[in-house]
């Protein structure tokens, strides 16, 4: 099935085989309601343990098992409602279900907030005694050790309960941003390459930016960012609210900064964040050279921001149907072995994926699900090379989740955000290696090389720029600065000037791009795209060069979940992110690829 170029489909027009199978979670909304009520009952049950959590080793085990059951159920309730809403954000039924589920989740957090403080009331020797007496508790050893690690940041029972109660309010900035950007905002029409009037959407914006027609790129660029400029003060307010929320929680929990608070959740030192920014700053000359190559290759007097996404090789027009994309990805990931490919096929054939854009659908792509569900993927597929890599990327997330959930108990059945982008990007690295080795001519090789360099630009350099923007605005606010639209826009434009160099025209409209980026509401998330890409570059090379031994280590990594701290999990796979070497090596590879393209252009 294929979307007509000038039409945004209604969801009812899309075949079932191209929609994710959310019925496998709940056959209907009535079944969802039953679990919703079940959560309330579980909340009442767990509330009876307040003040009794550590009366005995057996009681502690009962509480932890009941809490696991409670969170497994509320996760199903919340994730289902949100994914249904993402199918069409205009749907009032699922707006209501999502709101109810979110409120219930806040209630669950509040009613379980007594558990950690009560565990922390134990002396370490008493906890060790509990672990010795109760065999069933031993599965929770790492979890309990991690709780003790954060002891100085855990508050009293009443304070923890109060923090839990403001959870719903604290989500408001992200919710308002999402509704404004995805549901309420409308972009203007532009004329496409054939002169047809086409409405700009989140889904077709990047394909337009990849257009060979510079007029189309420029009009799409200006249409999108002039629209965001009109709402700049509202977006500044939502982002300011998010930063203030992060500041509030970091101060309440006695951290030195919002950054420290965000990274401590996964036991990541802030030096990892700073090392990334510093390493990229030392390697900006390679980016400047790449921009000069792009300017020369496109035969432009001036290189503008709207020229960044169009392929350098103009006479190669790679359009890939969804079915063909699956075949290419399957071949590219063969080095991961038959077991991995079998899971990939299951995902393709069992409706893990919601493929096409429709009216009201959430933009972009993601992998989601729960411990008990399929590891679903949301796409807005257009027939571009970039979208082929998006499928490989999101399936990397989902297969990581699949292995983890099949191997680990619920308490360790997810993985930290520090590790979250590694499996996805390893898939991309293996896929680009396969495609470069199987190109039919030099032009296609140049096209793919350009694409690989774009992965470096967008995943290492661009995400590091995002990370630096987050760090700057948080530090500015923490020092008493006001995050006005003018300050945010000025700061963002200066960073673009720094990262792209003086030989590129930094158009005024790019100053408002910060208003478009949802990841700025994810609390220092984006730096992990860059560290993940660097880790993936190392792992993919190990897989290609060492074969089965490296694959076995890698599959072990995918199975590890939260059973150890992320730095340790990654070390076992063969990458040490406590030093700058993986970042430096990745940027060294980027420099080599830039030099290679320089010779070929």
């Amino acid at each position: 099935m294929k979307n007509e170029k000038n039409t945004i489909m209604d969801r009812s027009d899309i075949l079932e085989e191209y929609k994710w199978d959310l019925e496998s979670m709940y056959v209907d909304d009535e079944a969802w309601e039953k679990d919703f009520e079940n959560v309330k009952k579980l909340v009442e049950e767990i509330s009876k343990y307040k003040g009794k959590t550590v009366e005995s080793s057996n009681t502690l085990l009962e509480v932890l098992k009941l809490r696991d059951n409670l969170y497994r159920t509320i996760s199903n309730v919340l994730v289902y409602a949100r994914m249904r809403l993402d199918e069409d954000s205009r749907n009032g039924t699922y707006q209501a279900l999502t709101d109810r589920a979110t409120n219930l989740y806040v209630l669950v957090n509040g009613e379980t907030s007594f558990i950690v403080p009560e565990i922390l009331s134990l002396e370490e020797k008493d906890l060790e005694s509990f672990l010795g007496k109760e065999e069933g508790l031993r599965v929770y050893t790492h979890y309990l050790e991690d709780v003790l690690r954060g002891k100085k940041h855990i508050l009293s029972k009443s304070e923890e309960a109060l923090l839990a109660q403001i959870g719903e309010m604290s989500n408001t900035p992200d919710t308002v941003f999402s509704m404004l950007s995805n549901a309420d905002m409308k972009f203007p029409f532009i004329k496409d390459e054939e002169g047809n009037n086409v409405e700009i959407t989140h889904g077709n914006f990047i394909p337009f930016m990849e257009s060979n027609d510079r007029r189309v790129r420029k009009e799409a660029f200006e249409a999108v960012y002039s629209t965001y400029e009109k709402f700049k003060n509202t977006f500044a307010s939502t982002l300011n609210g998010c930063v203030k929320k992060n500041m509030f929680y970091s101060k309440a929990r006695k951290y030195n900064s919002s950054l420290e608070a965000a990274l401590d959740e996964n036991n990541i030192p802030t030096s990892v964040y700073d090392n990334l920014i510093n390493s990229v700053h030392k390697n900006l000359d390679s980016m400047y050279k790449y921009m000069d190559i792009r300017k020369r290759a496109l035969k432009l007097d001036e290189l503008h921001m709207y020229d960044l996404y169009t392929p350098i090789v103009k006479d190669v027009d790679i359009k890939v149907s969804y079915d063909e994309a699956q075949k290419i990805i399957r071949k590219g990931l063969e080095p991961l072995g038959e077991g991995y490919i079998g899971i990939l096929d299951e995902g393709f054939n069992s409706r893990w994926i919601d493929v096409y854009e429709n009216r009201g659908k959430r933009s972009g792509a993601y992998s989601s699900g729960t411990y008990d569900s399929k590891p679903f993927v949301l796409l807005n597929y257009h027939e571009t090379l970039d979208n082929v890599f998006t499928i490989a990327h999101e399936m990397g997330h989902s297969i990581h989740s699949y292995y983890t959930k099949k191997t680990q108990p619920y308490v360790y059945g997810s993985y930290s955000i520090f590790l979250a982008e590694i499996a996805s990007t390893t898939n991309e690295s293996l896929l680009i290696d396969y495609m470069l080795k199987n190109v039919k001519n030099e032009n296609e090789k140049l096209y793919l090389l350009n694409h690989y360099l774009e992965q470096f630009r967008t995943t290492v350099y661009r995400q590091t720029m995002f990370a630096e923007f987050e760090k700057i605005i948080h530090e500015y606010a923490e020092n008493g600065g006001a995050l006005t639209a003018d300050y945010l826009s000025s700061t963002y434009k200066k960073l673009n000037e720094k990262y792209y160099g003086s030989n590129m025209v930094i158009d005024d409209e790019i100053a408002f791009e910060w208003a478009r980026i949802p990841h700025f509401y994810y609390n220092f998330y984006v730096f992990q795209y860059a560290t993940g890409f660097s880790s993936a570059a190392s792992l993919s090379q190990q897989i290609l060069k060492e074969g089965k031994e490296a694959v076995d280590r890698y599959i072990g990594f995918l199975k590890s979940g939260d059973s150890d701290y992320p730095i340790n999990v990654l070390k076992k796979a063969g990458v040490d992110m406590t030093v700058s070497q993986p970042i430096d090596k990745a940027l060294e590879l980027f420099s080599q690829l830039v030099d290679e393209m320089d010779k070929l252009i």
Side-chain angles (χ1 to χ4, degrees):
M1 182 176 187
K2 174 177 180 181
N3 189 358
E4 293 302 321
K5 187 170 186 179
N6 298 325
T7 306
I8 304 170
M9 292 184 286
D10 289 322
R11 190 160 184 83
S12 59
D13 296 330
I14 300 174
L15 298 177
E16 289 298 308
E17 65 191 273
Y18 298 111
K19 298 176 183 177
W20 52 19
D21 177 27
L22 296 190
E23 294 80 10
S24 62
M25 292 188 73
Y26 293 106
V27 294
D28 53 31
D29 293 350
E30 186 178 342
W32 179 90
E33 292 285 359
K34 290 179 181 178
D35 254 4
F36 187 90
E37 293 302 319
N38 188 31
V39 170
K40 293 181 181 179
K41 294 175 183 176
L42 290 170
V43 166
E44 290 179 5
E45 188 175 345
I46 203 166
S47 297
K48 297 174 183 176
Y49 284 92
K50 287 181 180 178
K52 303 176 183 178
T53 304
V54 293
E55 281 186 348
S56 68
S57 58
N58 181 256
T59 304
L60 177 57
L61 179 59
E62 288 175 359
V63 170
L64 292 176
K65 283 184 173 181
L66 182 56
R67 187 193 60 175
D68 286 353
N69 188 21
L70 175 55
Y71 274 98
R72 282 179 73 164
T73 310
I74 186 57
S75 294
N76 288 330
V77 167
L78 181 58
V79 169
Y80 173 84
R82 284 180 172 173
M83 289 196 295
R84 281 297 192 200
L85 182 58
D86 286 346
E87 294 175 347
D88 186 348
S89 58
R90 304 167 302 175
N91 189 310
T93 297
Y94 293 112
Q95 288 177 7
L97 261 60
T98 299
D99 191 49
R100 289 172 58 205
T102 301
N103 292 342
L104 187 60
Y105 191 81
V106 171
L107 174 66
V108 169
N109 285 340
E111 292 301 314
T112 58
S113 64
F114 69 92
I115 297 173
V116 168
E118 290 189 17
I119 292 173
L120 289 173
S121 70
L122 281 174
E123 296 294 331
E124 190 170 344
K125 60 182 177 60
D126 295 326
L127 183 55
E128 290 175 1
S129 174
F130 276 15
L131 292 170
K133 290 177 183 176
E134 182 59 66
E135 185 176 347
L137 268 181
R138 290 172 196 165
V139 71
Y140 292 96
T141 298
H142 174 65
Y143 162 75
L144 292 168
E145 289 175 349
D146 196 36
V147 169
L148 289 178
R149 181 181 65 84
K151 188 169 186 175
K152 63 182 178 181
H153 302 294
I154 301 298
L155 309 179
S156 68
K157 292 180 187 178
S158 60
E159 289 170 328
E160 288 292 336
L162 184 61
L163 287 183
Q165 288 174 27
I166 67 169
E168 181 184 1
M169 181 175 63
S170 72
N171 290 329
T172 299
D174 184 24
T175 302
V176 173
F177 165 83
S178 181
M179 282 298 176
L180 177 58
S181 186
N182 294 315
D184 293 342
M185 277 178 55
K186 302 295 181 188
F187 299 108
F189 285 73
I190 66 166
K191 290 189 181 296
D192 67 9
E193 293 86 346
E194 287 79 39
N196 301 308
N197 283 324
V198 182
E199 182 183 359
I200 298 291
T201 69
H202 289 290
N204 66 24
F205 174 56
I206 294 300
F208 277 129
M209 293 295 288
E210 293 171 341
S211 173
N212 289 335
D213 189 329
R214 199 180 192 206
R215 175 194 60 79
V216 172
R217 301 198 303 268
K218 185 174 187 291
E219 287 187 11
F221 177 83
E222 291 175 348
V224 166
Y225 291 117
S226 64
T227 303
Y228 276 99
E229 182 182 6
K230 294 174 184 175
F231 297 92
K232 65 179 183 179
N233 293 309
T234 302
F235 282 114
S237 295
T238 60
L239 185 53
N240 181 50
C242 184
V243 171
K244 293 293 176 62
K245 174 191 75 173
N246 296 339
M247 289 169 56
F248 168 77
Y249 281 115
S250 67
K251 289 177 181 177
R253 295 200 179 279
K254 304 178 180 67
Y255 286 98
N256 295 314
S257 67
S258 300
L259 176 63
E260 183 184 66
L263 269 58
D264 187 59
E265 180 180 351
N266 295 297
N267 202 21
I268 306 296
T270 56
S271 59
V272 172
Y273 200 100
D274 294 332
N275 286 343
L276 169 66
I277 294 173
N278 292 334
S279 291
V280 169
H281 284 178
K282 288 186 295 183
N283 288 274
L284 287 173
D285 285 346
S286 297
M287 174 57 67
Y288 301 159
K289 183 175 182 179
Y290 177 45
M291 292 298 100
D292 288 339
I293 293 170
R294 172 169 283 275
K295 178 180 175 181
R296 188 171 79 242
L298 294 175
K299 298 181 173 59
L300 297 173
D301 293 331
E302 292 181 340
L303 187 71
H304 286 256
M305 300 303 295
Y306 48 81
D307 298 318
L308 285 177
Y309 291 92
T310 187
I312 285 177
V313 185
K314 289 298 183 184
D315 54 349
V316 176
D317 185 19
I318 300 179
K319 295 290 185 183
V320 188
S321 71
Y322 178 65
D323 290 342
E324 183 62 25
Q326 294 179 66
K327 295 175 185 176
I328 294 170
I329 292 165
R330 196 179 188 283
K331 292 292 291 183
L333 300 184
E334 278 185 356
L336 291 172
E338 292 182 4
Y340 192 98
I341 295 300
I343 298 168
L344 180 71
D345 287 341
E346 180 182 340
F348 285 151
N349 298 325
S350 300
R351 293 178 58 201
W352 288 11
I353 307 174
D354 203 77
V355 181
Y356 294 109
E357 181 180 11
N358 58 254
R359 290 190 182 277
K361 185 176 178 180
R362 176 183 167 134
S363 63
Y366 65 66
S367 169
S368 186
T370 68
Y371 189 80
D372 300 299
S373 78
K374 296 176 179 179
F376 292 108
V377 169
L378 179 138
L379 300 174
N380 284 274
Y381 189 75
H382 291 257
E383 296 185 344
T384 66
L385 180 65
D386 187 62
N387 276 206
V388 177
F389 282 92
T390 297
I391 297 172
H393 181 101
E394 300 303 339
M395 287 300 285
H397 285 307
S398 285
I399 296 175
H400 189 180
S401 298
Y402 180 96
Y403 271 115
T404 295
K405 291 186 289 188
K406 290 289 184 180
T407 308
Q408 296 296 332
Y410 178 78
V411 66
Y412 306 129
S414 58
Y415 41 84
S416 78
I417 59 173
F418 186 75
L419 302 178
E421 296 303 327
I422 294 173
S424 54
T425 314
T426 297
N427 274 11
E428 291 192 73
S429 297
L430 292 171
L431 181 57
I432 194 68
D433 180 84
Y434 164 77
M435 296 181 79
L436 282 169
K437 288 175 180 174
N438 289 276
V439 292
K440 297 176 182 178
N441 55 58
E442 186 173 290
N443 278 342
E444 287 190 7
K445 182 176 182 180
L446 276 170
Y447 188 101
L448 290 167
L449 189 59
N450 174 213
H451 180 85
Y452 200 17
L453 286 168
E454 281 300 285
Q455 293 300 302
F456 271 95
R457 180 183 72 81
T458 58
T459 309
V460 180
Y461 284 93
R462 179 172 163 82
Q463 299 299 331
T464 301
M465 184 182 75
F466 286 173
E468 187 170 0
F469 178 71
E470 279 193 272
K471 188 170 187 285
I472 289 170
I473 65 174
H474 277 81
E475 289 179 348
Y476 185 70
E478 286 167 344
N479 289 319
L483 299 182
T484 64
D486 288 343
Y487 170 79
L488 293 168
S489 300
S490 172
T491 301
Y492 193 82
K493 188 177 182 184
K494 287 176 183 176
L495 281 173
N496 274 271
E497 292 168 349
K498 180 176 186 176
Y499 275 72
Y500 287 105
S502 59
N503 290 331
M504 182 169 178
V505 177
I506 308 301
D507 301 276
D508 290 340
E509 290 87 352
I510 202 64
F512 305 104
E513 187 182 38
W514 59 267
R516 175 175 166 260
I517 308 301
H519 293 78
F520 291 149
Y521 297 81
Y522 297 178
N523 197 14
F524 294 100
Y525 183 97
V526 296
F527 88 100
Q528 290 153 129
Y529 285 112
T531 56
F533 189 98
S534 302
S535 300
S538 177
L539 289 168
S540 60
Q541 289 304 305
Q542 291 175 38
I543 289 164
L544 292 168
K545 292 176 181 177
E546 299 176 30
K548 187 178 184 304
E549 185 177 340
V551 170
D552 288 344
R553 287 199 308 269
Y554 181 66
I555 299 299
F557 160 76
L558 298 181
K559 292 178 176 179
S560 294
D562 280 329
S563 61
D564 199 351
Y565 294 119
I567 290 281
N568 297 337
V569 170
L570 194 50
K571 278 183 182 178
K572 293 172 188 175
V575 177
D576 184 0
M577 286 303 299
T578 63
V579 296
S580 62
Q581 183 184 25
I583 307 292
D584 294 336
K585 285 289 184 183
L587 296 173
E588 182 181 319
L589 175 58
F590 176 79
S591 180
Q592 293 169 359
L593 293 170
V594 168
D595 290 341
E596 183 178 348
M597 175 160 272
D598 193 25
K599 294 173 184 176
L600 291 173
I601 290 295

